[in-house]
Amino acid sequence: MQKQLLTHINSPKELRTLKQDELPQLAIELREFIINIVATKEGHLGASLGVVELTIALHYVFNTPEDLLVWDVGHQAYGHKILTGRKNIFDTNRQLGGISGFPKREESVYDSFGVGHSSTSISATLGMAIASKLKGENKHHIAIIGDASIASGMAFEGLNHTGVTDANLLVVLNDNAIGIDPSVGALKQYLTNVKKGTQKRNNIIEALNFDYSGPIDGHDLEKIISELERLKTVKGPKLLHVITTKGKGLKQAENDQVKYHAPGKFDASTGDLLPKSGLIQPPKYQDVFGLTIVELAKQNEKIIGITPAMPTGSSLKYLMEEIPDRAFDVGIAEQHAVTLAAGMATQGLIPFCNIYSTFLQRAYDQVIHDVALQRLPVIFCLDRAGLVGEDGATHHGVFDLAYLRSIPNLIIFAPRNEVELRNIMYTAQLGLDQPIAIRYPRGRGVTIDWKQPFKPLDIGKGEQLKQGKQLAVLSIGAIAKNVTEAIIDLNVSHYDMRFVKPLDEVLLHNIFKTYHTIITVEDGTVKGGFGSTILEFASAYNYKNRIKTLGIPDNFVEHGKVEELQKLVGLDAESIRKFILSIQ
Ligand SMILES: Cc1ncc(C[n+]2csc(CCOP(=O)(O)OP(=O)(O)O)c2C)c(N)n1
Ligand SMILES: CC(=O)[C@@H](O)[C@H](O)COP(=O)(O)O
Ligand SMILES: [Mg+2]
């Protein structure tokens, strides 16, 4: 009976007591551990399976936590977490009250930097290396970054700066030739040629004053360990290029790397996904976007679709398949995506720029400087707006209403259902003379028969959904579903305001003159979001009504199921109902 190694490892210190020839066995056990837990608890699978050997080697060679590891994005750090004292609680991964799905400083001394958004690791690690030098400390600083993440602008900024320092910094480029979807761009081609040996010797990494080594097999423990040991003795900036396979060790995950990036529940013994429930359900908002843009693009040849590295997550993949020369995956490059769209708009094209709400934070200046200031009619589709669930604080799209609301010329719309999303997309492509941001949540909507004929919407017009006497509830976006449920038997009015900008002031004057108490509800921060707009309206017109704002409080919301998190912040139907009853 093979001796179990993983059971005895609760820290890298114990890992480092193993003989090197025991490490392949440890890799087998660690891979199995990850598969067994993610099969039932869900999460990011492929990336972590791809770096099992690399993770073991890094903690074996370097004296962690004194030597600092920074995992880029951090979705591949399940092995890191299991080896650094969280094995026995790893089954709480991404669950409310459990450990985060990404490295988090407050979770462990081994998590040197909080991650979740890509391409931050080189900058953060350089910061640590410069600090160590200034403090006279002699430690190693290692950034582990993927082939898609290193192609992002911020990663290049980190490389560019590192190259003119003598920082003791090692970048491990984990090259598996894929992001969530196949990685794109000239750098991808370059790395492919390097791997094939057909690349002329103009090594761009060496050109940036890095000591470049590799490419080596990222699953060959002996090779990685000996190369890491050698690199420990090399001064200054270094880059080790390792080749791995995303999903390594689970056949289905290797064969369908996109699906198994985050496969949901699957049979750990066979790797097969669990069968989907047969019942008819409303569509995912992303698919309403993805299928509708295909419908519209077929009728309007000016329509373009753009995604920064999320063709599957945004469902722009349908347009990429159907009309490939009018759909662009620009890689992890949100800033470039926005300004690319702006450039296209100057030439009369109609770009739908689809970016997750949280990732659009990366391109805030581009929205202001390159789009709104020039009043260019870019159509921003912000998927994953609001609480997203298990990805937690780094991924909740809860700031977009606040961070966009202060930008002049920008229309802001939030559909309460799939039909509204389709109709605003249809309306926007008819031709606007200014940009618009359309924000909608992760997951399914509420309408089974959603594919209804298009109807143009009046920009800036809200809608009454329910008539009552006691007070008025004003909601924005898909959270209307919870409000509808909350007030089902209450004598209160409910308005879907639909637009945060421009506000339906005619409707608002009517509401303020009719109801003493007004409650706003939004799946977004109350600090500067939709509720703040209503408060500003009341102040501007000297209304003395009682106004209460419900939304995300002024703190970061952790990970958990969306329903759990909505309850936590008081946005579930029951909490909304209780609140209304408490102030009637
Ligand atoms: C700024 C930002 N944009 C998009 C994402 C979504 N995202 C998560 S992982 C990933 C692909 C990362 O690919 P790579 O760097 O090659 O790492 P791998 O998964 O292959 O290990 C993307 C696009 C993100 N986390 N951050
Ligand atoms: C790790 C990362 O940033 C992405 O994989 C993100 O988790 C995708 O989110 P969705 O699952 O909502 O598409
Ligand atoms: Mg990759």
Side-chain angles (χ1 to χ4, degrees), residues 512 516-520 531 534-535 538 543 545-549:
F512 273 79
H516 170 60
T517 300
I518 291 160
I519 300 171
T520 67
I534 302 302
L535 289 167
Y543 283 114
N545 305 56
R546 181 171 60 157
I547 304 171
K548 296 293 181 189
T549 61

Side-chain angles (χ1 to χ4, degrees), residues 44 73 75 102 116 180 261 310 313 356 359 384 391 395 442:
H44 291 104
V73 181
H75 62 313
F102 304 98
I180 296 176
H261 169 79
M310 305 300 280
Y356 285 20
F359 300 147
R384 282 29 177 211
D391 272 343
H395 284 63
R442 182 177 198 271

Side-chain angles (χ1 to χ4, degrees), residues 147 151 175 177-178 182-193 195:
D147 56 289
D175 183 357
I178 190 168
S183 18
V184 294
L187 187 65
K188 156 70 178 275
Q189 286 169 354
Y190 170 81
L191 293 174
T192 306
N193 293 340
K195 288 182 278 190

Side-chain angles (χ1 to χ4, degrees), residues 102-274:
F102 304 98
K104 222 170 138 179
R105 286 171 51 78
E106 64 261 35
E107 190 175 290
S108 165
V109 68
Y110 291 92
D111 294 2
S112 320
F113 200 66
V115 284
H117 287 195
S118 82
S119 317
T120 61
S121 61
I122 298 170
S123 303
T125 311
L126 178 60
M128 295 170 194
I130 291 171
S132 298
K133 184 163 180 246
L134 290 172
K135 293 193 294 181
E137 289 168 350
N138 180 19
K139 53 172 77 171
H140 294 279
H141 315 83
I142 305 104
I144 305 100
I145 186 166
D147 56 289
S149 299
I150 202 168
S152 183
M154 185 176 175
F156 187 77
E157 291 165 19
L159 290 171
N160 187 47
H161 182 187
T162 305
V164 290
T165 72
D166 58 359
N168 181 10
L169 187 150
L170 168 63
V171 174
V172 178
L173 170 56
N174 172 34
D175 183 357
N176 55 17
I178 190 168
I180 296 176
D181 297 274
S183 18
V184 294
L187 187 65
K188 156 70 178 275
Q189 286 169 354
Y190 170 81
L191 293 174
T192 306
N193 293 340
V194 167
K195 288 182 278 190
K196 287 195 304 200
T198 56
Q199 179 57 38
K200 301 184 290 303
R201 279 302 294 169
N202 65 338
N203 183 312
I204 45 174
I205 302 299
E206 287 169 342
L208 294 175
N209 305 329
F210 274 73
D211 172 293
Y212 169 90
S213 58
I216 62 170
D217 177 356
H219 301 297
D220 181 332
L221 271 160
E222 203 176 323
K223 263 220 187 79
I224 309 169
I225 287 170
S226 67
E227 189 54 17
L228 289 176
E229 289 292 1
R230 182 188 74 80
L231 287 167
K232 273 173 84 170
T233 63
V234 174
K235 294 270 171 272
K238 304 161 278 286
L239 184 137
L240 171 60
H241 185 181
V242 299
I243 314 297
T244 63
T245 302
K246 194 164 184 179
K248 179 80 176 177
L250 184 69
K251 187 167 55 57
Q252 290 90 326
E254 292 185 30
N255 296 338
D256 187 349
Q257 294 175 336
V258 174
K259 181 74 210 151
Y260 279 77
H261 169 79
K265 290 184 171 52
F266 60 94
D267 181 329
S269 58
T270 66
D272 297 336
L273 300 177
L274 298 192

Side-chain angles (χ1 to χ4, degrees), residues 280-283 288 417-420 422-423 445-453:
I280 310 276
Q281 291 176 293
V288 175
N417 58 37
E418 304 90 322
V419 173
E420 289 273 292
R422 276 171 61 79
N423 286 335
V446 292
T447 319
I448 299 284
D449 59 335
W450 56 278
K451 216 166 184 174
Q452 294 172 20

